[in-house]
Amino acid sequence: MTSLPRRVKSEAKAPTSEADELPSFLNSSSESEEEEEEWEPKSKAAKRPRLPKKNEVKPKKVAAPRSGVAGKKVKKIAIKKEMDVSMPIAPAEDNKIQLQKPKEENVRSKLNTLKQMPVLPKKSEVSPFQGMNVKTLESDEKPSTSAPVVENQVKHEKSEEDFAFDEPPLKKMKSATSPEGKPVKSLGGNKVKEEFEMNWDIVQVLSDRTNVEPWVCANLIRLFKEENTIPFIVRYRKELINNLEADALREVQQTLEELRTVAKKTHTMIQKLKKEGKLSGCLFTSLLNCRTLEELDHVTTPYKTGSKGTKAQRAKQLGLEPAALSLLQSPMELNLFSYIRPNTKGLANIQEVEAGVQHILADIFAKDKDTLDFIRRLCQQRYVCIQSALAKVSSKNSNEKDIDKFQIYHEFSCNIKNIQHHQILAINRGENLKILTVKVNIPDGVKNEFCWWCVNERWRPKQFLKPELMRILRNSVEDAYKRLIYPLLCREFRSKLTSDAEKESVMMFGRNLRQLLLTNPVRGRTLMGVDPGYKHGCKLAIISPTSQILHTDIVYLHSGQGFREAEKIKRLLLQFSCSTVVIGNGTACRETEAYFADLIMKKYFAPLDVVYCIVSEAGASIYSVSPEASKEMPDLDPNLRSAVSIARRVQDPLAELVKIEPKHIGVGMYQHDVSQTLLKATLDSVVEECVSFVGVDINICSEILLRHIAGLNATRARNIIEWREKNGPFINREQLKEVKGLGPKTFQQCAGFIRFNQDYIKTFCSNKKTQLGSHALFTKAGTQLTSEKQGKKKSKPTPSASYQPNPLDQTCIHPESYSIAMRFLSFIGGNTNEIGKSDMQQKVNAVIQKEGLEGTAKRLNTTVHTLQLIIDGLTQPEGFDIRTDFDKPDFKRSIVCFEDLSVGTVLTGKVENATPFGVFVDIGVGKAGLIPVRNITESKLSKVKKRRSLGLGPGERVEVKVLNVDIPRLRITLDLIRVL
């Protein structure tokens, strides 16, 4: 348990809030009454480097708690002493904040939440049931928070390079090594103070659930608290996160929010029960032990407003609690006949008294942490399965088509350890449609062993029990299992399976979306976009290599006018020198493709060598009627806008697809069955990651693209565009600080992802110099601006202050590392004019071969990760695009019909969608074929394109062999031969 609560500043993107979209089997959710806590100002640490913050009014000083230390002299001692329980400390680096060092604001944070709250009684090993009848909560003992000081010696390990950007990260990262090969200290158990204190350490629980090292989890908690974005952390804070990928960070972030939700709801319930006078010491301890919403619901259900109370509560009201506790503590002194009251219901005879005692004991057993932990461990060792069957009333309320969809689940049974995520989502959907009934089957052996353990070990009385009292004890244990514990286990299993399945579905959607967004753009081509249609014709749009609309038209290819319309298409292609046709995959796609393929085969468009490709038009119609499309193409008919969007999806997929809400792009699985809050948060994060890593040219990018850069939003993006329109193009990154609403923190997050075309900037500056004459442009602190100097700046410069171009602004190097980059350039004997050229590559290679990467980093007093990023930025050619590593669209000249397929046919195709059970491949016959996941093996994957997993992503080209063709159902089963 953490020693002090911690104020959480960041408003995290909570994947779940309250009882967010719980499945049908979790009807009894916890109460949603949550009291908002007032933020308390934090005291500033003396002489401590900090991340730049927005200009704020200084908060009033608040008296420190008793445990804190007053006075400046003593304050230094307190901070120095606290260093021994700090976060992992990365090597010192210029202009980089050391987030893992403890801040005084954390050391001196207030105990507002639990200021007037009962304190957890000290645990005792003597008897597990002592103190259960305590009615007062006064206690001088606080829960023990001591942790042994451990220093993990870290061994050298090379950075892992064998993965592709589009693949899911390797989750199991627990190791004793540091990616930069330098020792990382892990002191004091990585304690992190949370706003709401619980009986468990949030860092350790987070590490257990995500399989990420505790020191990484502790660093991530602080990084998220400081409002750092995932793209920024992944690129510029690698040494603090053990080089984790963005997907793993999203999982940690989501799990962290789930744990905080549990803690917040727990403390809200504690405050509520305290006001109502229902909070006992035993209940307080049980609440603080809860780690999931299911556990919290199990403990608090009897105390909810409007509840009639449990059988145990009614028995306690009759005064039977002393008898129940006496049965366990001193049964020789117990006389149940003394509790009989003939005129009182529930005490009228000995049978009613025994039943009341049994209910109280069952309630005690079912809420005991050790008892629940034992039954959970027992279930992990046994065969627990989930079963589904066809509901008896389903045939009356559902149509046959829906029932057939769930045919394989009509009599289904599977071990909960082996069941697949898509099977869980399918079963849940069938249950929600009332087509299936679902239950969790726990074998009787679990019950028998559990009951024996409870009677003979955990709840064994301290004295000899009479046979009639032993019978009550056995009945109480069986009653606790059957009525309370078994339903709790079933809810927990279903909830855990559903939660994991939802997360995997959302992560799969995110990986597919990333692969689609990072499709290699087709530059330098004039394209004809075709939105196919029957009655209303095919909409055409010709766009230039710079995405300008050159011409729009409508042709009717499928209404008997195909030959005449061919002349119009040929004239347009020749007029605009267009040799690439992009066809949307919607209605009439196959007919339109066959039409163009036939003309191409006949060389009708000679002398042009025309090729075509099929592109997904998912979301194009939604975008064409959106306000963004109306603003971008105000004079164009919505039907023609979709043709423009289709063409631009090939020219620059990222810039076009960010205009569409991610869930409409159509690369997911069961996307309507998962938490929409979690789905939106994840997909928005993936879009932000892709846009940030590709980077945008600040002087030519659109407002829609700009708002997806890390740290920016719609308002800040609009302010940047307005500044650009008013003052002309940005000269360098420092000018971003002049934009309204773009403070130091926002600048830190977005600066590394913004690019500047140096040729354009130099031309603009030379023209400006000529116009200004004596008012020559000047630089502000040269190209070696340090974050220290930036931090001293109290106000933003006036827009009239101009800057000189900085060649480092065209790279991925962050401004906070410019001073290191300049020292590195001096060290290798290079200059900024050589960035991206072969001379720079030769100089870098010569120094690295001589000094080594670690030796050079040590000489420059920086980390290996930062040095590697600087080397990448200096050596990558101008205009470098990470999407060049991804596949381009598959251009074709001919078509294969569905009827042409036969078993054994070998084809090339493009991955359309990926799911946990297989990969769908477009092989050009109008229906995607499925490669079952069992047919995707390591030996068939590309050796050139290394990857972390066996997953394939949308856009990848593959060679496949047809295994089966089911013509009535239009199903094609494929085998993967190789990845092209």
Side-chain angles (χ1 to χ4, degrees), residues 161 163-164 941-947 979:
E161 298 292 345
F163 61 90
L941 297 178
S942 170
K943 297 297 185 293
V944 177
K945 187 176 182 180
K946 298 178 182 178
R947 56 186 77 233
V979 180

Side-chain angles (χ1 to χ4, degrees), residues 41-56:
K42 305 170 184 177
S43 57
K44 297 184 178 179
K47 298 182 181 179
R48 184 62 51 86
R50 302 185 61 179
L51 290 175
K53 289 187 176 181
K54 296 179 183 177
N55 295 331
E56 296 177 351

Side-chain angles (χ1 to χ4, degrees), residues 222-289:
R222 294 204 175 189
L223 287 166
F224 289 139
K225 180 195 173 186
E226 297 289 344
E227 299 179 355
N228 291 288
T229 60
I230 286 179
F232 176 81
I233 296 172
V234 169
R235 177 170 284 182
Y236 299 112
R237 296 293 183 264
K238 287 180 181 289
E239 68 278 0
L240 300 182
I241 62 170
N242 202 14
N243 206 19
L244 282 182
E245 295 279 331
D247 282 338
L249 262 63
R250 271 188 285 274
E251 183 179 357
V252 172
Q253 189 179 45
Q254 291 161 8
T255 307
L256 176 63
E257 292 311 313
E258 290 173 7
L259 292 173
R260 283 177 173 163
T261 300
V262 172
K264 185 176 181 181
K265 287 194 172 188
T266 298
H267 282 263
T268 300
M269 181 56 67
I270 288 173
Q271 295 285 7
K272 181 175 180 293
L273 293 175
K274 185 183 175 186
K275 286 181 181 178
E276 296 173 356
K278 299 178 182 178
L279 190 63
S280 65
C282 179
L283 177 59
F284 181 64
T285 303
S286 299
L287 286 169
L288 291 182
N289 285 335

Side-chain angles (χ1 to χ4, degrees), residues 175-212:
S175 65
T177 53
S178 170
E180 66 267 28
K182 293 191 177 184
V184 178
K185 295 181 181 178
S186 180
L187 304 178
N190 298 305
K191 290 291 182 182
V192 173
K193 303 174 190 67
E194 281 292 303
E195 182 180 5
F196 299 105
E197 186 179 358
M198 301 292 288
N199 274 4
W200 36 266
D201 179 17
I202 193 167
V203 173
Q204 191 58 49
V205 175
L206 189 62
S207 175
D208 293 340
R209 292 195 181 180
T210 59
N211 214 11
V212 173

Side-chain angles (χ1 to χ4, degrees), residues 61-62 75 88 111 128 215 250 342 401 458 467 476 521 527 552 556 589 602 616 694 784 789 799 826 906 927 974:
K61 292 184 179 179
V62 182
K75 186 182 294 183
L111 290 165
W215 69 269
R250 271 188 285 274
K401 188 175 180 181
R458 180 69 179 96
S476 299
L527 303 175
T552 58
Y556 299 89
C589 167
K602 294 177 180 177
S616 171
V694 170
Q784 299 184 44
K789 290 183 179 180
S826 301
V906 177
K927 187 69 177 178
L974 305 172

Side-chain angles (χ1 to χ4, degrees), residues 382-402:
R382 301 299 183 90
Y383 182 87
V384 179
C385 65
I386 184 168
Q387 298 174 337
S388 66
L390 182 64
K392 294 180 181 179
V393 296
S394 60
S395 57
K396 299 179 181 178
N397 302 329
S398 306
N399 58 52
E400 292 296 329
K401 188 175 180 181
D402 287 339

Side-chain angles (χ1 to χ4, degrees), residues 152 209 213 256 342 370 402 409 437 457 518 537 581 626 629 682 689 704 729 800 882 906 936:
N152 295 330
R209 292 195 181 180
E213 290 100 326
L256 176 63
D370 293 337
D402 287 339
Y409 300 107
T437 57
E457 293 188 22
L518 295 178
V581 179
S626 67
T682 301
E689 172 197 339
I704 295 176
S800 60
I882 64 170
V906 177
I936 303 174

Side-chain angles (χ1 to χ4, degrees), residues 67 123 198 313 336 342 402 585 628 686 702 743 745 765 945:
S67 59
K123 295 182 180 178
M198 301 292 288
Q313 284 179 316
L336 293 180
D402 287 339
N585 68 344
E628 288 84 1
V686 170
S702 65
K745 186 66 183 179
C765 288
K945 187 176 182 180

